[in-house]
């Protein structure tokens, strides 16, 4: 079991027929408010897909909710709690879309996320013939520093998925990781895609990623720092 800090990521789409505005209100108030009270959580952030992301159809997710914990034991205890399962099982969420990931973060670049900026989240799948340790090492040590040279990126974080706590393959994480980048605005994000450094990162992807398009979201992020914590939460000593 991973001994360092662990982040729990909740990915989901709104239930069929639920108006987007109503879902966004539910996510910002009820989901964020309920999860903020989880024992052991040290921080939370919620990212909602930009409205412009709906112009070409439904995005892969409507909400990405992140919670940070001091270690994997506390994270898995919290994500199995009655409060967590009640909120993630709410009728506002499409159950078929729901994914809960336990990840280890690697901050590759940090110039500080801009206050009114945008946050891009890419959903990463490793190359099928590449063992997980090799995938993680290449992504962190080779590709990460390469992507960090893209000047408009203000912050870049890799989230590497931890193995499922279950012995069944059915519970394996849907993704191998998330690549998250922050930009001053949408224009800066688009400008980054015209740079030779960006092209170099795309050319490097076949070395460790599965072929095909990387699903992604462009979001705005709301961060809550220092929610109520309980150092005596069950599992804290694991």
């Amino acid at each position: 079991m991973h001994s360092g800090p662990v982040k729990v990521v909740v990915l989901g789409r709104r239930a069929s027929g639920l108006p987007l505005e109503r879902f966004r209100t539910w996510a910002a108030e009820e989901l964020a408010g309920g999860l903020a009270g989880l024992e052991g959580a040290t921080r939370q952030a919620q990212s909602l897909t930009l409205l412009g992301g709906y112009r070409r159809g439904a995005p892969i997710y409507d909400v990405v909710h992140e919670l940070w914990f001091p270690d994997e034991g506390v994270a898995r205890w919290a994500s199995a709690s009655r409060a967590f399962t009640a909120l993630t099982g709410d009728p506002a969420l499409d159950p078929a879309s729901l994914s809960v990931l336990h990840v280890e973060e690697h901050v590759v670049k940090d110039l500080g996320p801009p206050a009114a900026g945008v946050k891009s989240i890419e959903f990463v799948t490793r190359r099928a013939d590449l063992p997980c340790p090799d995938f993680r090492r290449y992504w962190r040590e080779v590709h990460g520093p390469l992507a960090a040279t893209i000047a408009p990126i203000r912050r870049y974080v890799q989230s590497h998925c931890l193995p499922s706590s279950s012995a069944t393959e059915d519970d394996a994480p849907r993704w191998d990781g998330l690549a998250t980048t922050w930009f001053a605005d949408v224009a800066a994000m688009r400008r980054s895609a015209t740079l030779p450094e960006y092209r170099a990162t795309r050319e490097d992807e076949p070395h460790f990623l599965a072929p095909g398009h990387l699903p992604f979201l462009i979001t705005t992020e709301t961060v809550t720092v220092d929610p109520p914590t309980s150092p005596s939460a069950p599992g804290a000593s694991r």
Side-chain angles (χ1 to χ4, degrees):
M1 185 170 286
H2 184 69
S3 59
V6 166
K7 182 173 68 176
V8 176
V9 186
V10 179
L11 309 170
R13 290 193 303 269
R14 70 188 188 279
S16 177
L18 182 66
L20 180 59
E21 183 177 355
R22 188 179 301 174
F23 173 81
R24 290 166 73 92
T25 298
W26 172 83
E29 296 178 358
E30 297 187 38
L31 181 64
L35 293 180
L38 282 182
E39 288 185 309
T42 58
R43 185 171 180 259
Q44 73 164 332
Q46 185 174 98
S47 301
L48 296 173
T49 301
L50 283 182
L51 294 177
Y54 294 85
R55 290 174 185 159
R56 296 183 181 180
I60 188 169
Y61 297 113
D62 296 302
V63 63
V64 177
H65 198 95
E66 300 163 285
L67 297 121
W68 285 259
F69 295 89
D71 60 48
E72 187 176 1
V74 178
R76 292 203 183 273
W77 170 83
S79 58
S81 68
R82 183 176 300 177
F84 184 93
T85 54
L87 285 162
T88 55
D90 192 280
L93 281 169
D94 171 14
S97 73
L98 182 67
S99 286
V100 177
L101 310 177
H102 294 79
V103 306
E104 176 188 7
E105 278 196 330
H106 296 279
V107 179
V108 181
K109 180 178 182 179
D110 194 359
L111 302 179
V118 295
K119 175 181 175 182
S120 171
I121 306 171
E122 288 187 317
F123 302 93
V124 172
T125 302
R126 67 182 170 90
R127 213 175 65 192
D129 63 334
L130 194 62
C132 279
D134 294 341
F135 158 77
R136 292 170 183 154
R137 182 168 50 253
Y138 190 94
W139 188 18
R140 185 177 65 250
E141 298 178 5
V142 179
H143 188 80
L146 190 63
T149 64
I150 301 172
I153 293 177
R154 297 287 306 171
R155 190 167 193 262
Y156 170 35
V157 175
Q158 296 177 355
S159 297
H160 295 229
C161 285
L162 299 173
S164 172
S165 61
S166 169
T168 67
E169 292 186 3
D170 291 342
D171 288 334
R174 179 177 179 184
W175 309 104
D176 292 298
L178 310 176
T180 307
T181 47
W182 285 255
F183 299 86
D185 49 35
V186 173
M189 181 189 67
R190 289 174 176 165
R191 185 169 65 255
S192 73
T194 68
L195 300 176
E197 294 85 356
Y198 175 86
R199 290 194 294 275
T201 65
R202 290 306 185 201
E203 290 169 359
D204 183 59
E205 288 175 355
H207 290 109
F208 72 111
L209 296 183
H213 173 69
L214 284 180
F216 71 96
L217 297 174
I218 307 303
T219 72
T220 53
E221 179 187 67
T222 301
V223 177
T224 300
V225 180
D226 296 330
T229 61
S230 172
S232 60
S237 61
R238 295 182 204 175

